[in-house]
Amino acid sequence: MFTPQDQMMAFAGPGGAQRFGLRTAPLRAPVAPSRPGLRLPGIAPRWAGIALHWNAVRTGIERWFAKRDLVPDLAEDIGSARWFRGFGTMLALGAAAVLLWPSFAPLSAAPTTVLDDAARDELRVQGLRPLAFGADNGRHMIATAAVIPLATAPERPSIDLAATLGTGDSFPRMLQRAGLASADIVRVLDLVTTQVKPGAIAAGTRFAIRLGARTSPAQPRPLEQLSFRPRFDLALDIRRSGGGLTLASNAIAVATAPMRVRGIVGGSLYRSARAAGAPPSTVQDYLRAIDQHMAFEEIAPGDEFDLVYSNRRATTGEQQPGDLVYAGIVRAGKPVLQLLRWGSDGAFYSPQGMAQGAQETSGAFGAPVNGRITSNYGARRHPILGYMRMHAGVDFGAGWGAPIYATTDGRVSFAGWHGGHGNYVRLDHGGGIGTGYGHMSRIAVSPGMAVRRGQVIGYVGSTGLSTGPHLHYEMYRNGQTVNPLSIGAITRRAEVDPVQLAAFRSKLAQITALKANTAIR
């Protein structure tokens, strides 16, 4: 094996004992001894003389080049005659290389073959291409007398379809788009109405439809079978039997049990709960419940979320999330917030309030409409009546038809025409607190309905004593109007008896004893 130094010495050529790149001594051509009468074996005397003469000429040329030193090292003796001689050699070799430079002219390719229509069709029918790109694989033969032409192509005896009821769609329109005859649609509606209202079928319900053979292409196919599940606990099957449609209902047993999901809060409380397996609707209810009692800014990564919801499981294996039962936040192993759904109103209450003999919920009021304040609470000259009068609310300027929102959770105590207020809605929030919304163009709620904060209850208008579209927003405390801007939150309290308190504590202990991701059987 050669070392790098040995390789450098080898590249140096003669004089390798010296350092690489240094000028070496010129080679001396060997001098052939002159012997009279020397003959080369195997060569005729004539050619032997020519060979000896050529050998003498070649030796003279080698000696001349060896004396002249035409390729010296240009790194030495810069500016001397020897250096210029080497420089001239370099220029001469470069000029020779340029003169002998090859040509890079493009090569002429063979001309492309021109295909006529017949050749193109021949290649198309014999080529292999996917059928999706219109392939005609194989050679087509002309039909012979053995081929019997058909007047019409035969149809399938039945067609299976899958349909989904979309948002804003109706059950009859969906059946019509599926290709059902009008008589079959009327009969299906009559049968389904005996079990469930067609308008109560939820969006997203899937239908399995089978259409039979028809008598002529101009007639719609008759309905053979229609299967769907209008409710989680009910399955309906409509079949054609004996020339008519019959309905078979199948009640599905559903078991409901609380399901607990618990995990560590990461960068997002929603994503952390979803990653732990909580359904999206349950996580949204959990966030709403927590928001009414605790600011999200107080929840830090590393805290634990704790929620329990009623899980419905059918005997067929499907599961459906129900109402949220419990919502909590745990920090350092201790519960910071515990909320349990309690009472007929379905509200969440904390154990601290129950321990004090009361149920409590607190929440900040939101904006009733997206608009600016045009008139504050207090005495003013009425723009229509023309005299000083107490303005018992705050006016918000907004465009006609803008949605009006409930400022916090409550129940509708009045919805209808209310004199100078025009179309008017009043909400009772408990604890003697109520809010009123006037001059609506349209009311979206009815008396007795429970509403949540941010829910649309109506739309901006100019009914009653009004000069233009706006919202008149009022707030009541124990039946008396107060400045809505002076109250930022409310507290509702209702006395409970010891029996309810004991039942609340028992239910809370049962829920908190449930293991995560398991259900009470």
Side-chain angles (χ1 to χ4, degrees):
M1 181 178 293
F2 295 94
T3 63
Q5 185 178 2
D6 295 334
Q7 297 178 5
M8 296 293 290
M9 296 293 290
F11 283 120
Q18 302 177 10
R19 290 185 298 171
F20 176 73
L22 295 181
R23 180 172 58 89
T24 59
L27 294 176
R28 296 188 178 274
V31 179
S34 59
R35 295 181 182 178
L38 179 61
R39 290 180 176 271
L40 296 178
I43 301 178
R46 179 184 175 185
W47 295 108
I50 295 175
L52 292 176
H53 178 71
W54 169 249
N55 186 29
V57 172
R58 179 178 57 81
T59 302
I61 294 173
E62 290 178 356
R63 290 178 178 177
W64 186 86
F65 276 101
K67 292 179 180 180
R68 297 305 183 274
D69 192 12
L70 298 179
V71 286
D73 189 355
L74 296 180
E76 297 181 356
D77 301 336
I78 298 175
S80 61
R82 178 175 171 273
W83 183 88
F84 278 106
R85 186 169 56 250
F87 184 71
T89 303
M90 182 187 70
L91 293 179
L93 293 176
V98 172
L99 293 176
L100 298 177
W101 190 271
S103 175
F104 290 96
L107 298 178
S108 299
T112 57
T113 303
V114 179
L115 297 178
D116 55 5
D117 293 340
R120 189 178 296 106
D121 293 339
E122 182 72 14
L123 292 177
R124 181 176 58 86
V125 299
Q126 295 186 13
L128 298 178
R129 291 195 306 169
L131 295 177
F133 293 98
D136 283 336
N137 295 340
R139 188 183 295 273
H140 288 224
M141 308 302 293
I142 299 177
T144 63
V147 177
I148 302 175
L150 297 177
T152 58
E155 294 185 338
R156 296 180 180 179
S158 64
I159 297 178
D160 293 330
L161 304 175
T164 302
L165 185 63
T167 304
D169 199 359
S170 66
F171 183 46
R173 286 198 300 267
M174 187 274 300
L175 296 177
Q176 185 179 10
R177 287 195 305 272
L180 271 70
S182 300
D184 289 343
I185 295 177
V186 173
R187 180 56 180 165
V188 167
L189 293 177
D190 293 339
L191 295 175
V192 172
T193 305
T194 61
Q195 299 293 329
V196 63
K197 294 182 178 180
I201 301 176
T205 303
R206 298 181 178 180
F207 299 83
I209 305 173
R210 174 172 292 178
L211 302 179
R214 54 188 175 183
T215 57
S216 67
Q219 299 295 327
R221 288 178 175 268
L223 176 65
E224 292 291 337
Q225 183 180 2
L226 173 64
S227 302
F228 66 103
R229 198 164 173 173
R231 294 199 310 263
F232 188 68
D233 57 351
L234 178 64
L236 300 181
D237 187 20
I238 300 176
R239 293 176 181 267
R240 185 172 295 277
S241 176
L245 296 175
T246 59
L247 173 66
S249 61
N250 180 23
I252 302 174
V254 177
T256 303
M259 176 72 72
R260 187 177 189 181
V261 179
R262 186 170 179 175
I264 299 176
V265 179
S268 170
L269 179 57
Y270 176 85
R271 294 180 180 178
S272 300
R274 288 287 292 121
S281 59
T282 302
V283 179
Q284 293 176 1
D285 294 339
Y286 172 79
L287 296 178
R288 292 192 190 100
I290 295 296
D291 185 38
Q292 296 295 325
H293 298 264
M294 185 178 185
F296 289 122
E297 291 76 9
E298 300 179 18
I299 304 175
D303 294 344
E304 297 182 44
F305 61 88
D306 193 3
L307 62 91
V308 179
Y309 65 96
S310 59
N311 185 52
R312 306 179 66 195
R313 184 180 182 88
T315 55
T316 54
E318 297 87 358
Q319 298 190 41
Q320 184 183 64
D323 294 332
L324 180 69
V325 178
Y326 172 81
I329 295 293
V330 180
R331 182 174 298 156
K334 297 182 180 180
V336 178
L337 179 65
Q338 289 181 310
L339 299 175
L340 181 66
R341 188 184 292 273
W342 191 257
S344 58
D345 58 353
F348 287 90
Y349 302 102
S350 65
Q352 292 81 6
M354 295 296 296
Q356 297 173 2
Q359 300 174 337
E360 62 176 11
T361 56
S362 300
F365 284 88
V369 70
N370 293 328
R372 61 184 183 88
I373 297 177
T374 57
S375 181
N376 289 308
Y377 179 87
R380 68 166 186 175
R381 181 176 297 276
H382 197 278
I384 296 179
L385 302 178
Y387 58 84
M388 295 298 296
R389 183 180 178 182
M390 180 64 183
H391 186 228
V394 175
D395 290 345
F396 289 86
W400 186 284
I404 300 173
Y405 309 99
T407 54
T408 191
D409 298 347
R411 189 172 296 275
V412 180
S413 60
F414 180 87
W417 188 267
H418 193 260
H421 289 145
N423 290 329
Y424 180 79
V425 172
R426 184 165 178 175
L427 304 180
D428 182 13
H429 305 290
I433 300 297
T435 53
Y437 311 80
H439 306 308
M440 293 184 179
S441 63
R442 184 162 59 93
I443 298 175
V445 293
S446 58
M449 180 185 297
V451 296
R452 304 296 297 269
R453 176 184 177 183
Q455 180 177 339
V456 176
I457 60 175
Y459 301 91
V460 171
S462 186
T463 56
L465 293 177
S466 173
T467 58
H470 72 284
L471 169 66
H472 175 75
Y473 174 59
E474 296 178 340
M475 182 170 290
Y476 298 88
R477 172 179 285 173
N478 298 325
Q480 301 295 325
T481 60
V482 295
N483 187 358
L485 303 180
S486 64
I487 299 179
I490 61 172
T491 301
R492 179 174 69 240
R493 295 183 179 272
E495 296 294 333
V496 294
D497 56 19
V499 177
Q500 285 187 340
L501 179 59
F504 180 89
R505 290 176 174 174
S506 176
K507 182 67 174 180
L508 182 62
Q510 183 185 18
I511 291 297
T512 54
L514 181 66
K515 294 183 179 180
N517 300 322
T518 59
I520 298 177
R521 301 298 179 186

